[in-house]
Amino acid sequence: MAERLHIGVIGCGKIAQVRHIPEYVANPNAKLIGFFDRSAERADEVATRYNALAYGSWQELVADPGIDAVSICVANASHAEIAIGALQAGKHVLLEKPMATTLEDCEAVVAAADAAGKLLMLGHNQRFTKAHKLARDLVTSGAIGRLVTFRTTFGHGGPETWSIDPGSNTWFFNPQLTTMGAIGDLGVHKTDLLHFLTGERVVAVSALLASNDKLDAQGTPIAVDDNAVALYTLSNGAIGTMMASWSFHGAEDNSTVLYGQDGIIEIYTDPDYQVKLIRPGQPVEQFSVEAIQTNDNQTTSGVIDAFVAAVLTGVSSPVSGTEALAAMRAIFACMESSRTGRVVTIDKNKI
Ligand SMILES: NC(=O)c1ccc[n+]([C@@H]2O[C@H](COP(=O)([O-])OP(=O)(O)OC[C@H]3O[C@@H](n4cnc5c(N)ncnc54)[C@H](O)[C@@H]3O)[C@@H](O)[C@H]2O)c1
């Protein structure tokens, strides 16, 4: 292993350009070696900008012995194939969410990391915000007692203005390239976050997914969900809601509220105080830790630094495939519940 981690980036779109690439550049222990994108022009342009190589295929990139690790930032449908190929080629992998578009593929990605003995990390950046870390510490310290109920929400105006290829033709609306809509794009963030904050797992799901806002390039409702509402039961018996939406026009909502037997933790309900601890008979404790990250306010995620540090120091993955798989099980359960109208239980998430 080189002293600095030598990096390849596969998929050079928005998340690569606003998060992965600049955070590797800012990390003294990482060096960008090369790029691949199915748009050769885009890969060339980024490679020139960062004085690095542009490869002709992802297979060529992962076959380069000069690369130790890759970031995979492509459309969802290609996550599993490229992640498995990179792991089999002996690379450490930082894979964007959602992990893959079928449960079988998610399991295959985890198995490939185990077989290769390489580090697999998922890009669940919500775990790394100061507010979420503080909230988790408060939960762990017993500040609100046993968690009873919760609500968590992630909504914005939709990915068609975010993507590097904007417009109603976006891959985010194409079921062949994404499989799941807001539930996989935003719902997986909040599901993983619930696991992170509470230490519990989603074990039963009842959900409604709808396509009732966005139109595709032909002017017909998109074939993936743009709105999703789920009722979750956690492994400790707590029940609550998870909402994922591409229809919050005009303002994002990234909030979570946890209600315990001894008090309440509010996260991102107030732009000035990102965490609040509210307990009966006591003054409200308000914490100002950092501005809320939004699509228009991208701050350093910490994901890339954690990935680089974990590989170089040989510690376990900061967001392992196994942990991400637990969240993906809940996402697939939401899709099944909405399709069948039934409550779906997730035995493998019982702890
Ligand atoms: N963690 C987060 O908060 C977060 C935020 C946004 C996006 N993402 C994820 O990152 C991934 C990329 O999203 P984005 O917002 O950058 O999209 P984007 O549309 O801006 O860019 C996608 C890029 O990938 C390229 N691409 C697509 N499929 C490819 C393939 N099979 N091989 C090579 N290149 C391919 C496209 O040409 C484009 O340059 C998605 O999986 C998305 O869910 C994560």
Side-chain angles (χ1 to χ4, degrees):
M1 175 80 56
E3 215 172 283
R4 290 164 84 192
L5 196 65
H6 287 186
I7 306 290
V9 176
I10 302 172
C12 304
K14 191 68 171 277
I15 200 64
Q17 296 204 26
V18 302
R19 185 172 300 161
H20 291 250
I21 297 171
E23 293 188 27
Y24 283 123
V25 169
N27 187 314
N29 299 317
K31 182 173 165 49
L32 284 166
I33 302 297
F35 300 94
F36 170 69
D37 194 284
R38 68 177 172 205
S39 158
E41 202 186 334
R42 185 166 298 148
D44 283 344
E45 191 268 314
V46 174
T48 306
R49 203 186 316 155
Y50 293 97
N51 194 22
L53 304 170
Y55 294 84
S57 67
W58 67 261
Q59 289 90 343
E60 202 186 305
L61 186 152
V62 302
D64 185 341
I67 287 180
D68 307 309
V70 295
S71 266
I72 300 176
C73 306
V74 299
N76 302 347
S78 302
H79 283 194
E81 183 195 10
I82 298 177
I84 292 168
L87 288 161
Q88 287 175 344
K91 309 305 177 194
H92 303 283
V93 168
L94 173 55
L95 175 60
E96 266 306 341
K97 43 51 62 176
M99 187 188 251
T101 53
T102 67
L103 187 53
E104 294 69 29
D105 276 354
C106 290
E107 286 166 346
V109 171
V110 176
D114 289 346
K118 295 292 163 186
L119 190 135
L120 168 67
M121 175 175 170
L122 272 292
H124 283 300
N125 53 299
Q126 297 242 336
R127 289 177 176 235
F128 294 83
T129 74
K130 287 185 183 142
H132 287 145
K133 284 185 183 167
L134 171 60
R136 182 174 128 123
D137 289 347
L138 290 171
V139 172
T140 310
S141 72
I144 60 167
R146 188 172 69 78
L147 182 73
V148 179
T149 185
F150 57 87
R151 64 179 162 86
T152 186
T153 305
F154 198 173
H156 57 49
E160 70 274 34
T161 51
W162 155 273
S163 169
I164 199 132
D165 299 309
S168 54
N169 240 338
T170 176
W171 69 267
F172 281 99
F173 291 173
N174 180 336
Q176 270 75 48
L177 296 180
T178 183
T179 304
M180 49 198 101
I183 188 77
D185 186 39
L186 305 181
V188 74
H189 273 302
K190 287 306 183 191
T191 305
D192 178 70
L193 179 70
L194 279 174
H195 290 177
F196 172 74
L197 290 175
T198 67
E200 305 294 340
R201 294 271 165 90
V202 176
V203 294
V205 168
S206 177
L208 287 176
L209 276 55
S211 162
N212 58 12
D213 182 17
K214 305 287 177 186
L215 302 178
D216 64 18
Q218 285 68 48
T220 49
I222 59 172
V224 294
D225 59 284
D226 48 30
N227 283 281
V229 180
L231 306 179
Y232 280 166
T233 304
L234 300 186
S235 36
N236 72 339
I239 59 167
T241 59
M242 191 285 292
M243 185 175 187
S245 176
W246 285 342
S247 301
F248 286 15
H249 302 292
E252 282 197 37
D253 186 347
N254 209 328
S255 65
T256 300
V257 184
L258 304 174
Y259 303 86
Q261 285 186 316
D262 301 331
I264 299 167
I265 295 171
E266 292 191 1
I267 311 162
Y268 295 144
T269 57
D270 179 336
D272 295 328
Y273 298 99
Q274 297 81 32
V275 179
K276 289 183 185 176
L277 176 60
I278 303 161
R279 290 187 281 194
Q282 295 185 41
V284 174
E285 288 181 57
Q286 308 191 114
F287 303 89
S288 184
V289 285
E290 67 183 344
I292 303 174
Q293 287 174 358
T294 67
N295 274 357
D296 300 325
N297 174 36
Q298 288 288 321
T299 51
T300 301
S301 73
V303 169
I304 277 71
D305 288 350
F307 176 63
V308 171
V311 172
L312 288 177
T313 59
V315 299
S316 58
S317 174
V319 186
S320 72
T322 310
E323 288 172 89
L325 180 59
M328 289 306 296
R329 284 196 195 105
I331 297 308
F332 292 116
C334 287
M335 295 166 75
E336 183 185 338
S337 171
S338 183
R339 213 171 38 241
T340 61
R342 299 196 169 169
V343 175
V344 176
T345 52
I346 312 170
D347 289 342
K348 286 190 173 162
N349 274 2
K350 288 189 177 150
I351 49 179

